[in-house]
Amino acid sequence: MKKELQIVRLTTGEELVCEVTEFPEHQVQLSDVAIIIPTEGGIGMMYFMPYADLGEGIVIDASHVMWATTPNEELAARWKTMFKKILTPTTTKIII
């Protein structure tokens, strides 16, 4: 099943940045989950449920998801850095 990086808003109000995999029977798996935290300078992210071993992620019922959307490039890069994903440049630059 395909994983896709998404911002997910839960019915409880949390906004998460994570990889989402859809399962049959109206369930979704959230992997490498970070919660978005509003700050005075903008937004921050921290690990979701840092006190739990989420291992392969967490499976929730899809009815707990209000909406999901693709994060912008800046937020996606911050998430990739947080979870040590490989970053690729979006533009090619020649240095002379």
Side-chain angles (χ1 to χ4, degrees):
M1 291 181 214
K2 182 182 173 188
K3 290 184 178 183
E4 189 174 355
L5 184 61
Q6 296 280 295
I7 299 172
V8 175
R9 182 170 182 125
L10 302 179
T11 55
T12 52
E14 292 99 340
E15 290 185 4
L16 311 174
V17 181
C18 55
E19 288 184 321
V20 177
T21 306
E22 292 187 35
F23 285 108
E25 300 185 27
H26 309 291
Q27 292 183 325
V28 293
Q29 179 180 12
L30 308 179
S31 306
D32 294 335
V33 187
I35 186 167
I36 298 173
I37 306 292
T39 66
E40 289 181 20
I43 61 168
M45 287 191 297
M46 65 178 277
Y47 295 102
F48 182 65
M49 295 177 48
Y51 44 82
D53 180 11
L54 297 181
E56 293 294 314
I58 185 170
V59 177
I60 64 170
D61 192 273
S63 67
H64 297 293
V65 176
M66 292 180 66
W67 51 259
T69 190
T70 304
N72 65 29
E73 288 182 24
E74 179 185 347
L75 189 62
R78 288 174 60 189
W79 176 87
K80 288 175 185 175
T81 300
M82 187 174 179
F83 287 98
K84 297 178 177 53
K85 306 289 182 178
I86 296 173
L87 298 178
T88 55
T90 56
T91 60
T92 305
K93 295 182 181 179
I94 299 174
I95 300 174
I96 300 177

